[in-house]
Amino acid sequence: MTMSLSQRRDRLRFRSHHRGTKEMDLLLGSFAAKHLHSFGVTELAEYEALLTEQDQDLYDWLAGRSAPPPEKLTPVLTLFLQHKLVG
C-alpha cells in the first residue's frame, strides 16, 4: 500500500516533533510546520533523508559548528540551515 502525500506529510510532521532531544523537536517541528505543506515528492524524500541524521550532527550544522558533507547538502537541508526558530 502506498501512502498519499498527505499521509506522508503527517508521518514526517510527527517524526519531526518526536526526535529524542527537545532542541531538535522544536527546530525540526517548527521547520516541518512551516514547509512540509509545500513539499512535493522530491522534497519529501530529501526531508526523510534529513530525518535519518543524528540530532547532534543536525544541531552542529545548524549552529555553524561544522559543515554538512557536500553529498548531503540538498535543497531541503539548505532550507533547514536557513531556518530560524522564533518564539
Side-chain angles (χ1 to χ4, degrees):
M1 183 170 119
T2 59
M3 272 190 265
S4 70
L5 285 180
S6 177
Q7 290 170 319
R8 197 169 168 191
R9 286 183 185 110
D10 288 345
R11 185 175 59 92
L12 290 170
R13 191 172 297 109
F14 179 85
R15 287 180 58 201
S16 298
H17 284 283
H18 298 86
R19 291 286 302 180
T21 64
K22 189 62 171 176
E23 294 86 353
M24 291 313 296
D25 289 353
L26 293 170
L27 290 164
L28 286 166
S30 64
F31 178 82
K34 184 174 182 179
H35 296 286
L36 279 185
H37 71 278
S38 65
F39 283 178
V41 174
T42 300
E43 293 86 2
L44 290 175
E46 290 177 8
Y47 190 63
E48 285 174 326
L50 176 75
L51 291 179
T52 66
E53 300 296 333
Q54 296 295 313
D55 285 356
Q56 190 60 51
D57 291 336
L58 288 172
Y59 192 81
D60 287 347
W61 298 343
L62 189 63
R65 290 187 213 160
S66 64
E71 68 274 7
K72 296 188 182 219
L73 197 55
T74 65
V76 170
L77 177 55
T78 300
L79 187 61
F80 176 68
L81 295 176
Q82 297 167 356
H83 178 66
K84 303 292 182 223
L85 181 63
V86 180

